[in-house]
Amino acid sequence: MDNFLITGGAGFIGSHLAEALLQNGNSVTVIDDLSTGCWENIAALENNSNFRAIVASADDKLLLEREVPKHNFVYHLASAVGVKLIIERPVETVQRIVRITDVLVDVCAKYRKPLLLTSTSEVYGKSADLPFREENDVVMGATSKRRWAYAVAKMLDEFLVLAHYYQSQLPVYIVRLFNTVGPRQTGQYGMVVPRFVSAALQNKPLEIYGDGQQKRCFCSVFDVVDALLSFSQMHLSGKGAELVGQVINIGSNEEISISELAEQIIQLLDSKSAAVLIPYEEAYGPGFDDMRRRVPDISRAKNLLGWQPKTPLDEIIRRIADSIVKER
């Protein structure tokens, strides 16, 4: 049995990762302050003797000093999430993201514990050099545009983690996630797929921010968890040397426009909803920046992990709809 620590483990992705690790016969400790995570995501795991949940901030150094040495591998998922949250609470976005990573990687370095950081496709900024490759240059928006606070904070996370790798050869892994979706994801912070699915199930209008022609690539959380598991499995089996210190894109490379997504959800769920356009200024306030396309190059994940996404978008939408109906 291996012992895993997950920061942000009560969140959407973290809770699915915790479940998968437990199903594989491991021990899991979750640290989450429930600021954007949700206790209901992990409530079903409470009766598992190999599971512990600690409700606390992951920047609590005394707590980390106690917990990190007990574990074989650390997954760092704790972060602010969602464009809406980033726009509304920019101070928290920058300060908490960087502070937690700084404290955590210091403790991991002290006890030589491998660390996987989940980063984001937002790090590529406004680049038009598609598909996004891990070594591409990035183009950031102006500092007056609040949405870029998240991208810059996560970029600094990456620099911090890689600095420890370069300076002391701490085994670190960085994953840039592209629009992960699935059951338990909330539309509360602006996530488009659960927001659309929830509206369609209620026959309410699907509100498309902007002109709807912006395109995204959506990847199932179950496929993403498979990728995250591969990192720790390879590390703990001594086969992950090529992965250490690498940045790796994880996501689907199949594009769909947001307008097409809305229509697909309406048809798939046999909804009476209609799609309506909402100006960015109305949704997020004045001066909002967005990207037209965001497509990952996943060749590095294929070559080093043997990973690629498997779940079609139709199936993802159905699973999200089923989970929403069950919660009602």
Side-chain angles (χ1 to χ4, degrees):
M1 179 186 294
D2 289 308
N3 301 317
F4 293 87
L5 177 64
I6 308 174
T7 69
F12 158 53
I13 299 174
S15 62
H16 284 288
L17 175 60
E19 280 186 0
L21 288 167
L22 290 168
Q23 288 168 2
N24 289 345
N26 300 294
S27 171
V28 175
T29 300
V30 159
I31 298 176
D32 200 306
D33 64 2
L34 305 182
S35 57
T36 54
C38 177
W39 182 260
E40 285 74 17
N41 288 343
I42 55 174
L45 305 179
E46 272 195 288
N47 294 328
N48 190 319
S49 60
N50 294 324
F51 177 76
R52 290 191 306 141
I54 301 171
V55 179
S57 175
D59 65 356
D60 184 334
K61 188 169 185 178
L62 291 177
L63 173 62
L64 295 177
E65 289 274 3
R66 185 172 70 245
E67 292 298 328
V68 167
K70 301 176 185 176
H71 297 85
N72 304 102
F73 197 94
V74 179
Y75 284 102
H76 178 30
L77 279 68
S79 182
V81 292
V83 174
K84 188 175 179 61
L85 178 67
I86 293 156
I87 295 296
E88 293 178 352
R89 290 150 65 181
V91 173
E92 179 178 339
T93 296
V94 176
Q95 289 183 340
R96 296 199 66 229
I97 287 174
V98 177
R99 183 169 60 235
I100 290 173
T101 301
D102 187 25
V103 173
L104 179 61
V105 72
D106 272 349
V107 176
C108 286
K110 179 177 179 179
Y111 296 103
R112 303 299 299 172
K113 296 297 181 178
L115 172 71
L116 182 147
L117 167 71
T118 53
S119 188
T120 171
S121 59
E122 288 274 331
V123 165
Y124 291 103
K126 303 172 73 172
S127 173
D129 187 7
L130 295 168
F132 291 156
R133 296 177 177 86
E134 292 89 346
E135 301 305 318
N136 281 7
D137 290 341
V138 299
V139 181
M140 281 294 128
T143 55
S144 59
K145 310 290 187 181
R146 283 173 289 168
R147 75 154 301 150
W148 302 113
Y150 176 66
V152 172
K154 295 301 285 187
M155 187 182 294
L156 185 52
D157 271 4
E158 292 190 18
F159 276 119
L160 277 170
V161 168
L162 289 172
H164 280 271
Y165 166 67
Y166 296 133
Q167 190 164 315
S168 67
Q169 295 299 295
L170 178 70
V172 300
Y173 308 89
I174 296 174
V175 173
R176 287 182 185 156
L177 300 178
F178 283 71
N179 293 94
T180 305
V181 292
R184 297 185 197 145
Q185 187 177 41
T186 176
Q188 180 180 357
Y189 303 113
M191 307 306 191
V192 66
V193 177
R195 189 166 57 80
F196 279 5
V197 170
S198 180
L201 288 171
Q202 300 174 73
N203 296 310
K204 293 182 177 180
L206 274 62
E207 296 184 344
I208 298 171
Y209 302 155
D211 64 8
Q213 298 310 301
Q214 66 272 36
K215 293 183 176 181
R216 295 293 183 266
C217 303
F218 297 98
C219 189
S220 166
V221 67
F222 301 105
D223 291 338
V224 168
V225 165
D226 284 345
L228 296 178
L229 292 175
S230 294
F231 282 91
S232 58
Q233 289 166 352
M234 293 180 74
H235 176 88
L236 295 171
S237 66
K239 300 176 182 178
E242 288 182 304
L243 296 169
V244 177
Q246 293 276 9
V247 177
I248 299 184
N249 291 332
I250 297 294
S252 168
N253 52 10
E254 294 187 6
E255 282 187 287
I256 185 171
S257 75
I258 301 303
S259 288
E260 291 169 338
L261 173 67
E263 290 305 317
Q264 184 170 342
I265 289 173
I266 289 169
Q267 292 177 17
L268 195 62
L269 301 183
D270 194 24
S271 173
K272 296 181 176 61
S273 295
V276 296
L277 299 180
I278 305 293
Y280 280 133
E281 292 76 13
E282 185 177 330
Y284 297 122
F288 180 77
D289 255 352
D290 200 15
M291 291 69 61
R292 302 306 287 176
R293 300 174 66 197
R294 191 183 291 169
V295 185
D297 180 331
I298 57 174
S299 56
R300 187 175 285 186
K302 290 179 180 178
N303 294 335
L304 296 182
L305 288 175
W307 177 90
Q308 60 184 6
K310 303 173 184 175
T311 311
L313 185 55
D314 276 6
E315 182 179 334
I316 297 171
I317 292 168
R318 288 192 184 96
R319 295 188 75 161
I320 293 173
D322 289 344
S323 70
I324 291 174
V325 170
K326 286 177 183 178
E327 289 172 1
R328 290 177 177 171

